Amino acid sequence: MSWICPKCKRVLPGPNQYHSCYVTTKENHTTRMSTTTLETFELLLSYLNSFENIEIIYLKTCIQFKIEATFLSVYPRKNYLNLEYQLNKEDDQFPVHKCIRISKNRVLHRLTIAECKDIDEQLKIWIKDAYWTIRKK
């Protein structure tokens, strides 16, 4: 059963769901990015905007891409972007630098991208798989 936070008005799975009420803007994140990082983020954003029914939430420390739940979190830094997504299996090939099993059917993956060429076909497959992993709920 969904729950709406009375402070930030975000729809969450339940009243005990940890979240940040600090919602900000795209510009708050992008003004701190280098030119190369901004170009990389815009390319990633362009790819993600081709997905159906996504919601983008700009939080204090990250940018979340959601359908029913978050399928991708982007943690912007000046010279790179840290990405986190969930799959139903572990896939720790480069450039994935961390896999953490968070439940029986979910593995959190972390990787870093720094330039447009890092958004290759493999990364697109992982992001699309993360999208379908969440959308299948």
Side-chain angles (χ1 to χ4, degrees):
M1 183 159 114
S2 295
W3 175 76
I4 299 173
C5 174
K7 185 175 180 184
C8 67
K9 307 299 184 220
R10 288 178 55 199
V11 178
L12 302 163
N16 296 323
Q17 176 75 38
Y18 175 79
H19 71 285
S20 171
C21 289
Y22 187 99
V23 179
T24 187
T25 64
K26 176 183 177 183
E27 291 73 28
N28 194 46
H29 286 287
T30 58
T31 56
R32 293 181 253 167
M33 295 178 189
S34 69
T35 303
T36 302
T37 305
L38 179 57
E39 289 169 358
T40 305
F41 176 72
E42 290 296 343
L43 182 62
L44 179 64
L45 189 59
S46 174
Y47 173 66
L48 289 162
N49 280 328
S50 71
F51 293 20
E52 292 181 13
N53 304 318
I54 66 164
E55 177 184 5
I56 304 170
I57 302 174
Y58 295 93
L59 300 172
K60 182 178 183 178
T61 60
C62 75
I63 303 161
Q64 292 184 335
F65 296 86
K66 300 178 70 166
I67 34 177
E68 291 92 18
T70 301
F71 69 92
L72 176 68
S73 295
V74 176
Y75 294 85
R77 301 294 184 261
K78 180 176 176 58
N79 295 313
Y80 58 90
L81 303 169
N82 285 324
L83 277 57
E84 286 187 355
Y85 57 91
Q86 296 176 33
L87 298 177
N88 57 11
K89 64 183 185 303
E90 185 174 321
D91 195 345
D92 65 351
Q93 56 184 308
F94 183 81
V96 173
H97 57 79
K98 192 171 230 175
C99 292
I100 303 168
R101 181 157 297 280
I102 57 175
S103 74
K104 179 182 172 190
N105 297 313
R106 291 284 188 271
V107 180
L108 179 74
H109 294 73
R110 290 185 182 152
L111 60 84
T112 300
I113 59 174
E115 50 194 15
C116 290
K117 71 179 178 82
D118 295 335
I119 303 174
D120 60 9
E121 288 308 308
Q122 181 58 68
L123 180 60
K124 290 178 180 179
I125 290 168
W126 285 327
I127 293 171
K128 186 64 94 170
D129 286 351
Y131 172 84
W132 283 110
T133 295
I134 299 301
R135 186 157 180 182
K136 287 181 181 177
K137 282 185 167 182

